[in-house]
Every structure is written in C-alpha cells, then in structure tokens.
Amino acid sequence: MDAWIGLMSGTSMDGIDAVLVSFNGHSVEVHASQTLNYPDDLRHRLLAVSQNQGTPDEIGELDTLTGALFADAACQVIEASEVSPTSIRAIGSHGQTIRHQPTGSAPFSIQIGNPSVIAERTGITTVADFRRRDMAAGGQGAPLVPAFHKAFFNSGTEDRCILNLGGIANITWIPADDGNPVTGFDTGPANALMDAWCLNQTGLPYDADGHWAEEGTVNQALLHDMLSDAYFSRPAPKSTGKERFNLEWVKTLVRRHPDLPAEDVQRTLLQLTVTSIVQQLPEVPALRVYACGGGTRNPVLMRELEQALSPAPLAITSDLGLNPQWVEPVAFAWLAQQSLAGQPGNLAEVTGARGPRILGAIHHA
Ligand SMILES: Nc1ncnc2c1ncn2[C@@H]1O[C@H](COP(=O)(O)OP(=O)(O)O)[C@@H](O)[C@H]1O
Ligand SMILES: [Mg+2]
C-alpha cells in the first residue's frame, strides 16, 4: 500500500493540518490526522508579512522556521499512525501563503515553508510549490482543490457543490452530468474578516462558536456597502486573499457607519460571508451543498447558511466520507500523487490556465 502525507495551512494562519492517507480508487483512507497550531509569535510574524511588511531577512527566516514546523507536523502524523514510514511515497505540502496577487502585469503567489527542510528532516520526498506553474500558464494558481473534489466527490447523479469555509471561501460545482465542466472559484471571505475584526476588537484570534456575532444584529446599510465590493460581481476565474479582504477593508467601511456596536459589525461580517456565497452559487435546481473547512465549526455561520440556502439542504463532507477538517490537506496529498505520476493537478476551466499542467516541484528524499 502506498501512503501519502498532505500538509496544509490556509489564509487563516491558524496552524498546519496534516493527514496520512492512502487512496483506493475513489475512496480515501485517513490513517492519521492532526493539527499543529502555530505558536503565537510565529503567527503574528506571518500575519505581518502577509500585510506586505517584512524584509527579505524576515521572509527568509520565516521560510525556514515554517518549513521546520511543517516537518514536525509530518513527523507527528507518522507517529500517530500505524503506517510504516517506508510505505510513504511523498509529502504534498501547500506551505503558507504570504502573498497572492493573481492579476496585474506580473502576477505571483508566494508560499513559504521551505520544502528542502521538510525533505531533509523527514527523509521523505516532498512536493511543494503547486500554484506557480498554473500561474505561469496564465491561470489564477487557485483554487487547486477542485480537481480533487471532482475526482472524489463526483456522484454522476446529483449536482454537488463543495463549499470550503477557510479564511477565504471557495466553491466547486460538480455537475451531475460529468460531461459538463466543473466550475470553481473563491467567493470572497469566509472567516478571514470575522477573525481580523475579532482579533482587533477582543484580542482573540476567532469568535469561538460564533457567540460574539450572535450578540449583535446585522446592519443592512453596512452589509450593502460590503457587498458593493467589485470582487463579488466579477466573473470567474477569480481568486482572492488577505491582500484584499483584511482589517483595513473592514475599518474603511465601518467608518462610514459611526457608532455601530462592535458585535453588530461582527454579525454583519458573518452575514456577508453567507450572502456573498449564496449569491454566487450556480442557479441549478436540486443543488446539494457540502461544506468543509474550519467555518463548519461555527454553529451560527452554519445555521445562517442553512437558512439562506433553504429549501436546498446544507450538508457537510462527512456525508461523503471525509471529515470537513481534512478535505484540504487530503487534496494536497492527492496533488503530490498526481505530480509523481506525471498527471495534471489543475482544472484549466477553473483556474483559467491555458491547459492542464503537472503541478509542483519535487524535492527528493
Ligand atoms: N469553534 C469554532 N468557532 C468559530 N470559528 C471556528 C471554530 N473553529 C474554527 N473556526 C474558524 O475556522 C478557521 C480555520 O479554518 P481553516 O479551514 O483552517 O482555514 P484556513 O484554510 O484558512 O487555514 C479559524 O480561523 C476560525 O475562524
Ligand atoms: Mg487552517
């Protein structure tokens, strides 16, 4: 049996999600999984660099430190499993995005977490740097998970939408008829703005279980201003990040509505996540939405989403056999498998690349 490790840390910069899996046709067996949280100091440094602060020295150091932590996450997931390290073919490491600028005259996307350090410390071949080849081919470099969603969550009978609620929200619509192309793009913020406002106002990195948001009420005028951001009406392919949706974005709009209680802003940001997602879902009858990512652990967000989607049901990916927390890291384990097999990892119809491309740089054991 070949086993694979997937390592992922998204825009939330909360920590590294690690899985050790094997693939069997269209099913995934998760042998071990765990999250290694970033220490506060490292998280704050990463947040600063992602806001376009930081010298080459700072970025270089963070690349090494983050790489070492990704290696630790891989070692921990191996230890937690019964799988022999010799059967692990490769690690797929997304790394930590510190900047994603998919448009303009010189588009780029930077993920740090030095993969040479991961290969050296684990003794396992490490595939990383998945986004840049797609971008070089004219694509957004994101989202990359739709190819995995298509391979594993395609039903052939129902129109399915996989909704990932990370820092940013992205959707993958897999039509019931597999002859039709998959649609996938970032819809905008999921948790990123709620986390940023919560940290700024309360000092806590996120609004646990949505309790604080629940104390507030939606301010319709603020919600309207937020939804006026041009990103929401832009056609796909599109991808975004904290470069656009950040604390400054929130503060600029909040200033137009003086004296709003902070919890009303939080509740409005939650509603922004819900409304922007629902408005951008494909208009097909009997669409079934399956959510994954950290946002599934926020009961207020899930309740409001369910209500906005009604009468369409809201499910989670556990109903398709994969825990919502592990979908993204499993996708990067699969992307490593694709790279080593010389198979494409992008869906050109999603990213806008000129065609399918074999993604990733291979750092040998
Ligand atoms: N119990 C919870 N209550 C509310 N929000 C939560 C909870 N657990 C996780 N989250 C949210 O999920 C985010 C992490 O989700 P994740 O899928 O790891 O995103 P990313 O891919 O951007 O790292 C946290 O930053 C937080 O906003
Ligand atoms: Mg995360």
Side-chain angles (χ1 to χ4, degrees):
M1 175 203 67
D2 284 343
W4 306 83
I5 288 177
L7 304 175
M8 173 73 203
S9 177
T11 43
S12 302
M13 295 184 167
D14 51 331
I16 303 160
D17 293 320
V19 293
L20 202 170
V21 295
S22 46
F23 300 108
N24 192 348
H26 286 280
S27 72
V28 184
E29 191 176 347
V30 180
H31 301 288
S33 54
Q34 76 180 65
T35 300
L36 180 57
N37 288 333
Y38 280 140
D40 281 347
D41 172 57
L42 182 63
R43 182 164 190 264
H44 290 138
R45 288 172 71 182
L46 288 168
L47 279 169
V49 162
S50 74
Q51 284 151 27
N52 224 4
Q53 299 160 14
T55 58
D57 271 355
E58 174 67 357
I59 294 168
E61 263 187 42
L62 286 174
D63 186 31
T64 303
L65 291 172
T66 312
L69 213 60
F70 272 72
D72 288 347
C75 292
Q76 287 180 15
V77 86
I78 294 169
E79 264 171 43
S81 77
E82 313 252 284
V83 174
S84 155
T86 54
S87 64
I88 301 170
R89 289 283 313 282
I91 295 170
S93 178
H94 173 267
Q96 178 64 59
T97 298
I98 56 165
R99 207 76 188 155
H100 179 70
Q101 296 284 19
T103 53
S105 58
F108 67 89
S109 188
I110 304 176
Q111 284 75 43
I112 61 168
N114 189 341
S116 291
V117 172
I118 304 174
E120 187 64 27
R121 288 203 177 195
T122 59
I124 298 171
T125 294
T126 300
V127 190
D129 199 7
F130 288 95
R131 300 197 186 275
R132 298 210 294 172
R133 182 60 186 271
D134 180 84
M135 271 191 156
Q140 294 272 318
L144 294 180
V145 285
F148 168 74
H149 293 162
K150 181 184 178 183
F152 284 87
F153 296 143
N154 171 22
S155 82
T157 53
E158 68 177 10
D159 278 282
R160 283 187 176 165
C161 192
I162 310 299
L163 167 64
N164 177 38
L165 299 167
I168 296 296
N170 59 268
I171 59 172
T172 306
W173 169 35
I174 313 161
D177 175 352
D178 359 330
N180 288 337
V182 165
T183 304
F185 56 91
D186 290 348
T187 57
N191 297 297
L193 298 178
M194 290 192 277
D195 285 357
W197 183 250
C198 185
L199 182 65
N200 179 255
Q201 296 290 311
T202 72
L204 298 169
Y206 65 92
D207 177 15
D209 298 343
H211 286 314
W212 189 44
E214 194 145 51
E215 287 170 22
T217 48
V218 176
N219 181 284
Q220 293 298 338
L222 177 61
L223 179 64
H224 178 268
D225 281 357
M226 289 174 166
L227 286 166
S228 306
D229 188 291
Y231 184 82
F232 299 119
S233 48
R234 189 183 295 166
K238 61 178 179 177
S239 58
T240 190
K242 281 185 158 153
E243 299 73 23
R244 185 178 194 110
F245 295 111
N246 53 33
L247 183 62
E248 272 318 301
W249 187 94
V250 178
K251 283 187 165 173
T252 304
L253 293 174
V254 167
R255 258 183 236 121
R256 294 194 207 157
H257 304 269
D259 306 325
L260 263 188
E263 60 274 20
D264 286 8
V265 175
Q266 186 73 3
R267 181 66 188 77
T268 306
L269 288 169
L270 187 145
Q271 194 59 45
L272 171 70
T273 296
V274 170
T275 307
S276 60
I277 289 168
V278 172
Q279 281 180 350
Q280 294 178 79
L281 285 174
E283 286 177 30
V284 288
L287 181 72
R288 278 196 77 109
V289 179
Y290 296 86
C292 60
T296 57
R297 284 145 80 186
N298 181 335
V300 182
L301 179 62
M302 291 301 281
R303 184 191 71 207
E304 294 302 321
L305 253 176
E306 190 164 27
Q307 203 170 317
L309 284 170
S310 174
L314 174 63
I316 54 174
T317 54
S318 312
D319 298 343
L320 304 175
L322 198 49
N323 182 313
Q325 209 177 334
W326 310 128
V327 175
E328 285 236 310
V330 171
F332 281 88
W334 180 80
L335 284 167
Q337 185 191 48
Q338 291 294 99
S339 301
L340 291 196
Q343 295 293 323
N346 63 340
L347 288 180
E349 71 259 37
V350 167
T351 64
R354 284 185 284 276
R357 292 290 185 273
I358 304 165
L359 306 180
I362 300 171
H363 304 258
H364 290 280

